[in-house]
C-alpha cells in the first residue's frame, strides 16, 4: 500500500513559475484524477511525481518516504504515457519485458510474465509484432500491460485516452476502471482534461486551475457543490449557465432576482442579512432547467437553436445582448418546434448555485 | 604491417576503447565514487548525474579542443607575431595583408565564392528537387544530378578541365563555340574575373545533387493535406512551391546552405587542381597554403580573416542551436 | 464544353524538358571523362570524345621499314601497311590521302603515285598497303609516309589495365581505404556519445556546448595544420596513418555532433522518459533505445564523413608523409598522374573513375539512411 503526500510542491523553470504550493494527500488504493484545462501544469505535476521533472519546491512523500531525489525507477511507480511511448524498434514482447530486463530478471521468468499479461490483455497474438504494426487500441493496451508487468504500488496515467477515437475511448475507459477494481490496493493517479473521464473513473478529483488546486473532492461533491465558478464550469457538460442576479432576501433560503427573469426565485443557499442587495452570479446546470408557465421564473428568452439528441433536447437561448453568453437548457425527451419561441425557464431551489467574486457562497 | 590491417586494428582498438571508456567510467561512477546505496543513496545518485554528462562528452570535447579550439586560439595568438614567431608585432600582419594586392584579390574571390556557390547550389538543388518530384523518370534524372557529389574535387577538376580545355578537339565548350562559328579556341580559365565563375560552376556542379537529394526528401515530408488545401485555395504550382513548400522546408534549406558553405570554405583542391590559383582565381585557403610554411604569422592572420568571413553563418548557426537546443 | 481536369501539380512538358536539360548538363561532363577513359591517348587528342563513336579522321606518319626492302628487277622496293602497328592491325582504318612531306601530308589521293624527292615513287592503297620504289637503295633512313585516314571507333580497357597494372592506383586505393575506415568510424562513435549527452542529459553549459558545436563547424581547418603537425611530431606520431586518423577524427567531430544531435533530439521525449521509468541507466538508454532509433542518422553521418575523407586532398597532403608508401588516391592523381604522366588524359580519367567507384556505391546503398540522418526530425515517429 502506498499513499502520496505532496507538501508545498512547486515548479519553476528559471524565473517562470508553473506550479506553486500544491498540497495533496492521495490515499493508498484510490484512483485519483487530476483534471484541468490544458496548460495548467497537471502533466508537469504528474511528471514530478514520476521523477521525470525536478521538484523545485516542497516535498513529495510516497508511503512516508521522501522521494524528491529518488530516481524514477526506484520510486515504485509505473507510468502510461499519452503517446504510449512504445519503443519503436522493439517487439511487443520486448517492449513489455524491458523494465524487468533492466531490473535484472531472468529471461524465462520475464517471458512467462509477459505472456501471461499479454493474454490477459488480448495481446497474445501480436507479441512478436513491432508497435508500428499495431492498431491504436492495441498500442494502448501494450502501454498499460507494460505498466502492469512491473507491478508497482502507484500507477500514473497521462491522458492515456486522448489519442483514441471516441468508441475506443469509451471501451478503454471501462477497461481501466475494471483494472482498478481488480487491484484495489494499488494507487492510481490519472491526468486528463476530459471531465467525463474524470467523473466516471475517479474516487476523488482534484481540479487544477491556473492558480493551483481549485477543489479536491469526490466527483459528485464537485458536481453538486462546486467551490468556485471555475470548478462549476469545468465539471459538467454542457457547462453550467451563469446568470447575473441580485439577492433580495437572505436566510436559510435565499431569494434572488435575475436580470432576465420575472419575480424572485428561491435558492437553497444560506445567506446572512448583510448579503441583501449583493450582486451575485447564479449558476444553473442545463439539465436542471425546466420550462414553466409561472410568472416567477429564472429566465425568459427566445430559443435560437434546438438540438434534438433523442434522449434529450438541448435548447440554446439567445443572449440578452449581442456577444453575450448563450444559455443552454437540457430537457429530457424530444421537443421539436420550439425554435423562435420565447420560453420561461425555472429551476428547483436546491439546484441553484450562488457565486460572488467567483467563489461559491456555500463555502464561507 | 599492411595499412589495411592496421586500419582494422585501429578501429578495433578505437571503438572498444571508446565504448569501454564510457561503460567502465559510468560503472566506476555508480559503484565506486557515488554508490547508489546506503544512507546517502539519493544524494549520491544526484551527484553522479551531475558528473555523468561529462563522461559522455569527454572524448568529443577533448578531440575538438585539441584539434580545433586550441589551434584556433593558438592561430590567433600566432597571428600577432612575426615570421619567426619571436617578436610580438600586434596587428602588423593584418595591416600587411591589407596592403597586399594578392591577398585583396583572394579575399574578394573568397567572398564571391561564399556568396555565390551555396546560393546557386541550394537554389538549383531546390529547383531540381521540385521538378524531378513529379516525373516518371525522376530516379534517372536524380542519379545523373547526384553523381558528382561522390566525386573528389580533384576528379571533378579533371572532368571540367576536359570541358574547358583550350582546344576545340578536346574541350566541349570550345567545340560548341566552334560550331557556333566563334573564331579560335578560348581558354576560359584565363579570362579575368569570369574564370572564377567558371571554377565556381564546378563546385556548384558537385554540390547541387547533394542539395537536391536532401531537399527533395524534405519536400516529400510536407503533409499532403497542406498542399491539397493550397490547391483548393486556387494556388497554382509555382505559388504552391514558393509560398507553401519553400517556407515549410526553410530549416532544411538552411542546413544545406550551411553544409555547402562549410565545403566552400575548405575548398582548396579545386582551384589548386584547375588553375593553381593563377590568373586571379586565388582564394583565401589557397593563399594561406602559399604563405603557410614561409610565414606562419601571416598565414594565421589569413585564417582569422577566413573565420571572420563566415561569422554571419556561425552566428546564425549558434542562434539556431540555441533555439532548438533548450 | 468539357474541360479536361488536370491535377495542378502534374508535371507539365516544360518541367520534363527542364529536367532533361538539367540532367544532361550534369551528366555530360562525366560522360566525357567516362568515354575518354576508354580511348587511347592519341585518339583523345585527335578528336573530341563526342566523336568517339564515329569514325575519326586522323593524320599520322609512318616510317617505312627499311629492313623490309627487297630488290625487284633492279629497283629497290619496300612494301608494307601503314596500319601495321599492333593497335591498328586489329581494326584497320581507310586511307583517304597520303603525302610525302609534312607540309603537304595529304597531297595525293589513294591509288595515285607520288614522286619522292630523291627519285622514286610511293603509292598507298585505301586499305593501307603501300609500295615504295626507288632506283637507289634506301639505306638506314627510309622515307616517312604521311597518311590521312579515317579510323574506326575504338574502345579499350587499356587505360584501366595500365592504371591497375602499373601499381599506380592499387596501392593508393588500399591506402585510401586504410585512411578512410578508421577516420569514419572513430568520429561517428565519439560524436554519438557527445550528441546523446547534449540531447538528453541536463547539465550546466549544455546550451553553450550545443552552440559551440555549431560554431566549430565553420572553423577553417587550415589554421590547425601547423600547430597540429608540431604536436604530432612532439608526440612522436609524426606524419603517418595514426596522425591522419586523429586529424580527420578531430576535424569530423563538429559535423558529426551537429547531425547526430539533431537526430537524437528528434527522438520523442516520452520514449526516453519511459525508459528512465523502466529503470534503464543512461548508458542503457543510449545503447538500447537511442542508438537503435537513430541508426539511420548514424549511417548517414558516417557516409558523409566517409565521402569527405575519401575525397580529401588537403589533410592528406599535410598529415601523410610525401613518400610513396602511404599515398592516397587524390594525392596520387594530382601529383603522380597530373605531374609525371601529364596530359595522359586516358589514364587520368580511368584513375578518376576508380577513385569514384567506392563512394558512389556507398552513397547509393546508404542513400535512404543519409536522408534520414540529415533531415532534422524523422516524420515517421509513432
Amino acid at each position: 500500500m502506498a499513499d502520496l503526500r505532496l507538501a508545498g510542491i512547486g515548479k519553476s523553470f528559471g524565473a517562470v513559475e508553473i506550479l506553486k504550493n500544491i498540497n495533496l494527500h492521495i490515499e493508498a488504493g484510490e484512483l485519483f484524477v487530476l483534471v484541468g484545462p490544458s496548460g495548467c501544469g497537471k502533466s508537469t505535476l504528474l511528471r514530478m511525481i514520476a521523477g521525470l521533472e525536478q521538484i523545485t519546491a516542497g516535498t513529495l512523500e510516497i508511503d512516508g518516504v521522501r522521494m524528491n531525489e529518488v530516481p524514477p525507477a526506484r520510486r515504485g511507480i509505473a507510468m502510461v504515457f499519452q503517446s504510449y511511448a512504445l519503443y519503436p524498434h522493439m517487439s511487443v514482447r520486448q517492449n513489455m519485458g524491458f523494465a524487468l530486463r533492466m531490473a535484472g530478471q531472468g529471461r524465462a521468468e520475464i517471458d512467462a510474465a509477459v505472456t501471461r499479461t499479454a493474454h490477459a490483455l488480448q495481446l497474445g497474438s501480436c507479441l512478436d509484432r513491432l508497435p508500428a504494426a499495431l492498431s491504436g487500441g492495441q498500442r494502448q493496451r501494450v502501454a498499460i500491460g507494460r505498466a502492469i508487468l512491473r507491478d508497482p504500488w502507484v500507477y500514473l496515467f497521462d491522458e492515456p485516452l486522448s489519442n483514441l477515437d471516441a468508441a475506443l475511448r469509451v471501451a478503454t475507459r471501462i477497461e481501466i476502471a475494471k483494472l482498478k477494481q481488480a487491484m484495489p490496493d494499488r494507487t492510481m493517479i490519472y491526468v486528463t482534461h476530459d471531465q467525463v473521464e474524470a467523473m466516471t473513473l475517479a474516487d476523488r478529483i482534484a481540479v487544477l486551475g491556473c492558480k493551483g488546486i481549485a477543489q479536491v473532492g469526490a466527483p459528485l461533491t464537485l458536481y453538486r457543490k462546486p467551490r468556485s465558478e471555475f470548478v462549476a464550469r469545468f465539471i459538467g457538460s454542457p457547462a453550467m449557465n451563469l446568470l447575473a442576479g441580485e439577492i433580495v432576501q437572505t436566510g436559510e433560503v435565499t431569494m434572488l432576482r435575475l436580470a432576465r427573469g420575472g419575480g424572485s426565485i428561491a435558492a437553497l443557499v444560506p445567506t446572512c442579512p448583510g448579503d441583501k442587495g449583493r450582486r451575485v452570479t447564479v449558476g444553473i446546470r442545463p439539465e436542471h432547467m425546466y420550462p414553466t408557465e409561472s410568472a416567477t421564473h429564472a429566465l425568459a428568452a427566445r430559443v435560437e437553436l434546438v438540438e434534438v439528441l433523442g434522449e434529450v433536447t438541448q435548447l440554446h437561448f439567445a443572449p440578452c445582448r449581442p456577444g453575450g453568453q448563450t444559455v443552454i437548457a437540457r430537457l429530457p425527451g424530444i421537443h421539436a418546434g420550439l425554435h423562435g419561441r420565447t420560453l420561461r425557464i425555472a429551476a428547483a431551489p436546491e439546484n441553484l448555485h450562488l457565486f460572488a467574486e467567483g467563489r461559491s457562497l456555500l463555502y464561507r | 604491417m599492411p595499412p589495411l590491417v592496421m586500419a582494422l586494428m585501429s578501429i578495433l582498438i578505437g571503438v572498444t576503447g571508446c565504448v569501454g571508456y564510457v561503460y567502465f567510467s559510468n560503472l566506476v561512477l555508480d559503484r565506486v565514487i557515488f554508490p547508489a546505496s546506503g544512507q546517502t543513496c539519493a544524494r549520491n545518485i544526484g551527484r553522479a548525474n551531475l558528473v555523468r554528462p561529462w563522461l559522455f562528452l569527454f572524448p568529443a570535447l577533448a578531440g575538438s579542443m585539441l584539434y580545433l579550439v586550441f589551434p584556433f586560439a593558438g592561430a590567433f595568438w600566432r597571428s600577432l607575431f612575426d615570421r619567426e614567431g619571436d617578436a610580438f608585432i600586434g596587428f602588423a600582419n593584418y595591416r600587411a595583408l591589407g596592403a597586399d594586392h594578392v591577398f585583396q584579390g583572394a579575399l574578394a574571390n573568397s567572398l564571391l565564392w561564399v556568396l555565390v556557390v551555396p546560393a546557386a547550389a541550394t537554389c538549383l538543388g531546390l529547383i531540381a528537387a521540385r521538378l524531378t518530384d513529379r516525373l516518371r523518370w525522376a530516379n534517372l534524372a536524380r542519379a545523373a544530378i547526384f553523381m558528382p557529389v561522390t566525386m573528389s574535387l580533384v576528379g571533378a577538376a579533371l572532368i571540367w578541365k576536359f570541358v574547358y580545355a583550350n582546344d576545340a578537339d578536346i574541350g566541349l565548350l570550345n567545340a560548341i563555340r566552334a560550331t557556333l562559328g566563334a573564331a579560335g579556341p578560348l581558354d576560359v580559365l584565363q579570362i579575368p574575373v569570369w574564370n572564377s565563375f567558371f571554377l565556381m560552376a564546378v563546385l556548384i556542379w558537385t554540390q547541387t545533387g547533394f542539395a537536391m537529394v536532401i531537399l527533395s526528401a524534405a519536400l516529400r515530408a510536407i503533409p499532403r493535406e497542406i498542399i491539397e488545401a493550397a490547391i483548393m485555395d486556387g494556388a497554382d504550382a509555382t505559388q504552391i512551391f514558393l509560398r507553401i513548400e519553400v517556407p515549410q522546408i526553410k530549416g532544411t534549406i538552411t542546413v544545406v546552405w550551411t553544409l555547402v558553405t562549410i565545403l566552400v570554405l575548405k575548398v582548396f583542391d579545386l582551384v589548386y587542381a584547375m588553375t593553381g590559383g593563377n590568373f586571379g582565381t586565388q582564394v583565401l585557403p589557397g593563399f594561406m597554403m602559399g604563405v603557410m610554411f614561409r610565414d606562419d604569422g601571416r598565414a594565421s592572420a589569413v585564417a582569422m580573416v577566413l573565420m571572420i568571413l563566415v561569422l554571419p553563418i556561425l552566428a546564425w548557426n549558434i542562434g539556431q542551436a540555441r533555439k532548438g537546443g533548450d | 464544353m468539357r474541360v479536361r481536369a488536370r491535377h495542378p501539380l502534374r508535371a507539365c512538358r516544360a518541367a520534363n524538358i527542364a529536367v532533361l536539360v538539367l540532367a544532361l548538363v550534369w551528366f555530360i561532363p562525366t560522360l566525357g571523362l567516362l568515354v575518354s577513359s576508354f580511348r587511347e591517348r592519341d585518339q583523345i587528342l585527335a578528336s573530341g570524345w563526342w566523336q568517339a563513336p564515329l569514325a575519326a579522321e586522323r593524320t599520322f606518319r609512318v616510317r617505312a621499314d627499311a629492313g623490309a626492302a627487297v630488290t625487284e628487277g633492279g629497283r629497290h622496293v619496300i612494301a608494307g601497311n601503314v596500319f601495321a602497328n599492333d593497335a591498328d592491325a586489329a581494326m584497320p582504318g581507310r586511307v583517304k590521302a597520303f603525302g610525302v612531306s609534312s607540309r603537304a601530308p595529304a597531297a595525293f589521293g589513294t591509288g595515285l603515285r607520288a614522286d619522292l624527292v630523291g627519285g622514286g615513287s610511293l603509292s598507298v592503297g585505301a586499305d593501307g598497303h603501300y609500295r615504295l620504289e626507288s632506283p637507289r637503295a634506301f639505306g638506314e633512313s627510309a622515307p616517312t609516309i604521311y597518311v590521312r585516314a579515317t579510323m574506326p571507333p575504338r574502345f579499350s580497357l587499356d587505360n584501366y589495365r595500365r592504371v591497375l597494372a602499373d601499381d599506380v592506383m592499387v596501392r593508393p586505393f588500399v591506402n585510401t581505404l586504410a585512411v578512410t575506415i578508421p577516420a569514419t568510424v572513430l568520429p561517428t562513435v565519439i560524436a554519438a556519445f557527445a550528441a546523446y549527452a547534449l540531447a538528453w542529459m541536463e547539465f550546466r553549459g549544455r546550451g553553450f556546448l550545443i552552440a559551440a558545436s555549431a560554431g566549430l563547424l565553420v572553423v577553417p581547418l587550415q589554421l590547425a595544420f601547423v600547430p597540429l603537425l608540431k604536436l604530432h611530431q612532439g608526440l612522436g606520431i609524426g606524419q603517418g596513418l595514426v596522425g591522419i586518423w586523429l586529424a580527420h577524427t578531430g576535424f569530423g567531430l563538429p559535423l558529426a555532433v551537429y547531425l547526430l544531435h539533431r537526430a537524437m533530439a528528434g527522438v520523442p521525449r516520452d520514449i526516453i522518459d519511459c525508459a528512465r521509468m523502466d529503470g534503464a541507466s543512461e548508458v542503457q538508454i543510449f545503447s538500447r533505445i537511442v542508438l537503435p532509433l537513430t541508426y539511420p542518422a548514424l549511417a548517414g553521418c558516417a557516409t558523409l564523413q566517409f565521402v569527405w575523407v575519401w575525397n580529401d586532398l588537403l589533410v592528406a597532403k599535410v598529415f601523410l608523409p610525401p613518400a610513396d608508401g602511404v599515398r592516397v588516391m587524390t594525392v596520387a592523381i594530382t601529383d603522380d598522374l597530373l605531374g609525371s604522366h601529364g596530359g595522359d588524359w586516358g589514364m587520368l580519367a580511368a584513375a578518376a573513375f576508380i577513385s569514384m567507384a567506392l563512394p558512389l556505391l556507398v552513397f547509393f546503398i546508404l542513400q535512404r539512411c543519409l536522408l534520414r540522418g540529415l533531415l532534422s526530425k524523422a516524420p515517421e515517429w509513432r
Side-chain angles (χ1 to χ4, degrees), chain A residues 47 83 87 89 101 150, chain C residues 270 273-275 277-278 288:
Chain A
R47 291 168 56 83
S83 62
Y87 308 122
H89 59 298
R101 246 175 85 198
R150 293 184 51 198
Chain C
D270 279 359
D273 282 345
C274 190
M277 299 223 47
D278 278 347
R288 301 209 182 172

Side-chain angles (χ1 to χ4, degrees), chain B residues 139-250:
Chain B
N139 281 339
L140 205 64
R142 287 219 187 100
I145 297 174
F146 184 76
M147 201 158 58
V149 177
T150 59
M151 264 175 228
S152 66
L153 286 177
V154 175
L158 202 63
I159 288 177
W160 283 85
K161 257 190 147 161
F162 217 59
V163 174
Y164 291 155
N166 185 14
D167 181 344
D169 276 334
I170 300 176
L172 189 62
L173 204 63
N174 274 308
I176 292 170
R177 282 187 79 240
T179 323
L180 296 177
L186 185 70
D187 193 344
V188 291
L189 294 180
Q190 293 191 24
I191 318 168
V193 185
W194 286 106
N195 52 7
S196 280
F197 284 94
F198 281 106
L199 291 184
M200 285 181 219
V202 181
L203 196 60
I204 294 168
W205 177 75
T206 61
Q207 294 309 304
T208 297
F210 176 71
M212 173 195 69
V213 166
I214 294 171
L215 292 174
S216 86
L219 280 176
R220 258 175 286 160
I222 298 176
R224 263 195 91 76
E225 291 86 357
I226 296 179
I227 308 297
E228 278 161 1
I231 295 172
M232 299 296 292
D233 284 342
D236 64 30
T238 322
Q239 286 167 326
I240 289 175
F241 178 58
L242 290 178
R243 296 179 184 222
I244 312 288
E245 291 179 316
V246 172
Q248 292 257 332
I249 58 167
K250 225 163 36 184

Side-chain angles (χ1 to χ4, degrees), chain B residues 221, chain C residues 262-263 266-268 293 296 371-373 375-382:
Chain C
R262 281 171 70 94
V267 174
L293 288 180
L371 291 181
R372 284 217 284 173
L375 287 171
S376 47
K377 300 225 160 107
E380 63 261 35
W381 289 117
R382 300 174 43 134

Side-chain angles (χ1 to χ4, degrees), chain B residues 41 86 124 136 156 167 212 243 264:
Chain B
C41 169
D86 303 328
L124 278 171
R136 253 183 240 150
D167 181 344
M212 173 195 69
R243 296 179 184 222
V264 172

Side-chain angles (χ1 to χ4, degrees), chain C residues 147-306:
Chain C
V147 180
R148 174 171 294 171
T150 46
M151 303 297 293
R154 204 163 65 213
F155 298 101
S156 75
L157 288 170
D158 271 4
N159 290 321
Y160 289 91
R161 236 173 260 138
R162 269 195 302 158
V163 165
L164 293 175
D166 284 6
D167 210 22
V168 185
M169 289 302 281
V170 178
R171 176 115 199 151
F173 189 90
V174 174
N175 286 338
T176 313
L177 265 182
V179 168
T180 308
I181 299 174
T184 303
V185 176
L186 288 180
T188 312
V189 172
I190 293 176
F193 286 121
Y196 174 71
L198 290 179
W200 290 111
M201 293 171 119
E202 269 167 36
F203 56 92
R204 279 175 70 90
R206 174 174 146 203
F208 171 77
L209 283 182
I210 293 171
S213 82
L216 284 179
L217 271 180
V218 289
V219 170
L221 300 183
Q222 287 91 341
L223 102 189
F225 289 168
V226 178
L228 284 182
L229 217 48
K230 279 185 189 144
L231 175 81
H232 281 180
Q233 266 144 13
L235 289 174
I237 303 171
Q239 286 180 314
L241 279 179
V242 178
I244 200 169
W245 290 334
L246 290 176
H248 272 306
T249 302
F251 298 149
L253 276 176
L255 183 64
V257 171
Y258 177 77
L259 293 176
L260 291 179
H261 169 248
R262 281 171 70 94
M264 287 183 181
V267 174
R269 186 183 191 92
D270 279 359
I271 287 182
I272 307 290
D273 282 345
C274 190
R276 290 213 169 115
M277 299 223 47
D278 278 347
S281 70
E282 295 290 341
V283 178
Q284 284 167 325
I285 296 177
F286 173 73
S287 61
R288 301 209 182 172
I289 309 289
V290 173
L291 271 196
L293 288 180
T294 50
Y295 172 71
L298 281 169
C301 184
T303 313
L304 268 192
Q305 175 75 2
F306 177 87

Side-chain angles (χ1 to χ4, degrees), chain B residues 60-73 258 262 265-266 307 310-311 313-315 317-318 321, chain C residues 198 208-224 249-258:
Chain B
L61 220 50
S64 45
M65 277 285 174
L66 202 59
Y67 280 82
L68 292 164
V69 178
F70 286 146
F72 180 63
T258 308
I262 294 165
L265 288 173
K266 293 171 183 169
M307 192 70 207
V310 294
L311 228 48
I313 306 169
L314 182 113
N317 255 309
I318 290 178
Chain C
L198 290 179
F208 171 77
L209 283 182
I210 293 171
S213 82
L216 284 179
L217 271 180
V218 289
V219 170
L221 300 183
Q222 287 91 341
L223 102 189
T249 302
F251 298 149
L253 276 176
L255 183 64
V257 171
Y258 177 77

